[in-house]
C-alpha cells in the first residue's frame, strides 16, 4: 500500500511517505507551530497526541489536530496505543478528515493492533506501526505483515526503558536490525529509526549514518534544526547518483542485456538510487 501527501496552502511538496527520510514529531498542544512545521524541510510531519501530551490535555489537543486537518493542513497523527482508553476516541475523531495522511500507532505489540486501527479508519488510511518494547521487537514480522501496515518505526526511548538497554550503538543494533528484517518479510519500505536527542549535529550525523548502514531508511526527529542533516545522510550521495545514472544509461545502450549474474543486483541498486535521487533532487557529482 502506498500513500502520498497533499499540498495544502501551509505546506510544500513532499516525497512520498514510503521513501520519506525525516519524520518531524510536533507536540499537538502547540497548534501555533503546525503551519511552521508544514513549511519546514521535513519529508513528513506527525502531530503527536500521545507521548507529548498530558492525559488531561489529550481531548483538547485532539480537537486542535482535527480542526487543523479540516482546514487545509496535511499531516500524519501519532495516536495513543490500542490498550488505552484514548485510542478509540483518537481514531473516531480522525475518520474522514481530508488532511489526514495516516496514523502512527504508538506502542504496537500485536498485528491485531494495526488491523483494528486500519479497519476503524475504514481501510482508507495507512498505519505506521511504532514498535517500542521487547515484545513488539520480537513479533515485528507479524506486525509488518498485518493488513494495513505501511511502515515500521522504532520507539527507541521506550524500548530502552522497557529493556534497560543503553543507547550504545552496539546495544541498539539488534532491535534496529529486527525491524529491517521484519520490514523485508512484510514487503514494506525500510523502517524509520528513533529520534536522536540533543543538539549536536555530529552525533546526529553519526547515528543517522549507522541507521542507514543497518538498512533503515528514515528517522524520527524532534527539532527542525535536525532536518537538513537527516535528509542529507539518508539521501543517495552525488557519487552514488552518478554511478547509478551511468549504469542505467549503459544498460539501455546495450539493449537492456543482462551480461552476468552480478548485473541483476547492480541493476536493482541503480534503479533504487535513481528513484531516490530524483525524488530528493540529488545531482550527480
Amino acid at each position: 500500500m502506498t500513500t502520498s501527501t497533499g499540498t495544502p496552502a501551509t505546506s510544500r511538496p513532499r516525497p512520498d511517505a514510503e521513501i520519506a527520510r525525516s519524520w518531524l514529531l510536533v507536540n499537538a498542544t502547540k497548534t501555533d507551530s503546525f503551519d511552521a512545521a508544514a513549511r519546514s524541510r521535513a519529508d513528513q510531519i506527525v502531530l503527536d497526541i500521545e507521548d507529548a501530551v498530558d492525559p488531561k490535555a489529550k481531548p483538547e489537543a485532539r480537537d486542535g489536530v482535527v480542526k487543523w486537518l479540516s482546514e487545509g493542513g496535511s499531516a500524519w497523527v501519532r495516536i495513543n496505543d490500542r490498550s488505552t482508553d484514548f485510542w478509540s476516541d483518537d481514531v473516531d475523531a480522525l475518520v474522514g478528515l481530508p488532511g489526514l495522511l495516516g496514523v502512527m500507532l504508538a506502542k504496537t505489540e500485536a498485528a491485531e493492533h494495526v488491523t483494528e486501527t486500519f479497519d476503524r479508519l475504514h481501510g482508507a488510511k495507512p498505519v505506521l506501526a511504532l514498535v517500542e518494547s521487547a515484545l513488539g521487537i520480537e513479533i515485528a514480522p507479524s506486525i509488518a505483515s498485518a493488513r494495513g501496515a505501511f511502515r515500521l518505526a522504532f520507539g527507541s526511548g521506550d524500548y530502552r526503558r522497557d529493556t534497560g538497554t543503553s543507547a550504545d550503538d552496539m546495544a541498539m543494533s539488534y532491535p534496529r536490525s529486527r525491524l529491517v528484517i521484519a520490514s523485508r518479510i512484510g514487503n514494506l519500505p525500510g523502517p524509520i529509526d528513533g529520534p536522536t536527542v540533543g543538539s549536536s549535529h555530529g552525533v546526529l550525523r553519526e547515528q543517522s549514518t549507522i541507521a542507514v548502514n543497518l538498512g533503515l531508511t528514515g528517522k524520527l526527529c524532534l527539532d527542525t534544526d535536525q532536518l537538513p542533516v537527516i535528509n542529507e545522510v539518508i539521501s543517495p550521495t552525488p557519487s552514488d547518483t552518478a554511478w547509478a545514472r551511468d549504469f542505467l544509461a549503459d544498460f539501455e545502450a546495450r539493449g537492456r542485456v543482462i551480461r552476468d549474474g552480478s548485473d541483476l543486483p547492480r541493476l536493482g541498486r541503480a534503479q533504487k538510487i535513481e528513484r531516490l535521487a530524483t525524488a530528493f533532487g540529488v545531482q550527480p557529482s
Side-chain angles (χ1 to χ4, degrees):
M1 180 177 186
T2 60
T3 187
S4 60
T5 62
T7 310
T10 56
S11 186
R12 61 174 182 78
R14 301 181 187 278
D16 287 347
E18 65 179 6
I19 60 171
R21 304 156 296 182
S22 51
W23 293 72
L24 178 65
L25 290 164
V26 182
N27 187 326
T29 63
K30 300 179 179 179
T31 54
D32 57 351
S33 70
F34 291 0
D35 286 352
R39 292 191 297 266
S40 74
R41 295 177 181 271
D43 283 353
Q44 299 291 326
I45 64 171
V46 184
L47 307 181
D48 186 1
I49 55 177
E50 194 244 349
D51 251 5
V53 181
D54 182 272
K56 294 179 181 178
K58 288 184 187 291
E60 183 179 356
R62 185 192 303 122
D63 290 345
V65 167
V66 169
K67 183 176 186 296
W68 192 76
L69 293 177
S70 300
E71 296 178 351
S74 180
W76 291 69
V77 178
R78 181 186 187 182
I79 63 173
N80 291 274
D81 69 89
R82 180 65 182 84
S83 68
T84 67
D85 294 334
F86 299 109
W87 173 84
S88 183
D89 290 340
D90 288 349
V91 176
D92 289 346
L94 296 172
V95 170
L97 291 182
L100 180 69
L101 300 178
V103 298
M104 177 182 289
L105 178 62
K107 298 178 177 63
T108 307
E109 291 189 321
E112 292 78 12
H113 294 175
V114 173
T115 301
E116 289 172 13
T117 302
F118 181 67
D119 288 346
R120 284 285 289 272
L121 291 167
H122 301 168
K125 299 296 179 180
V127 178
L128 199 162
L130 187 61
V131 181
E132 308 184 70
S133 66
L135 176 59
I137 289 295
E138 285 306 287
I139 66 166
S142 66
I143 293 172
S145 301
R147 179 166 47 83
F150 176 69
R151 281 177 83 171
L152 302 181
F154 185 27
S156 49
D158 279 345
Y159 172 82
R160 291 197 300 271
R161 285 188 284 273
D162 184 43
T163 61
T165 306
S166 77
D168 178 80
D169 294 331
M170 182 176 293
M172 299 300 282
S173 64
Y174 175 76
R176 285 166 161 170
S177 294
R178 285 283 297 180
L179 294 180
V180 171
I181 298 301
S183 297
R184 181 67 188 91
I185 291 171
N187 198 31
L188 301 183
I192 301 162
D193 194 24
T196 294
V197 179
S199 58
S200 170
H201 281 190
V203 172
L204 175 62
R205 183 176 297 276
E206 179 181 4
Q207 292 194 357
S208 299
T209 300
I210 290 169
V212 169
N213 290 341
L214 288 171
L216 292 95
T217 59
K219 190 169 178 63
L220 300 176
C221 60
L222 307 174
D223 194 305
T224 55
D225 287 346
Q226 296 183 331
L227 295 171
V229 175
I230 292 172
N231 288 343
E232 177 190 342
V233 173
I234 301 181
S235 296
T237 65
S239 59
D240 283 343
T241 302
W243 169 84
R245 291 181 177 171
D246 288 348
F247 180 90
L248 293 172
D250 179 66
F251 182 65
E252 292 294 332
R254 65 174 186 261
R256 304 177 65 85
V257 174
I258 300 297
R259 298 168 297 189
D260 53 51
S262 62
D263 257 2
L264 284 175
R266 284 200 297 262
L267 176 60
R269 179 170 180 261
Q271 289 172 332
K272 179 180 180 180
I273 290 172
E274 167 62 13
R275 180 193 179 197
L276 296 177
T278 298
F280 302 146
V282 179
Q283 296 300 317
S285 57

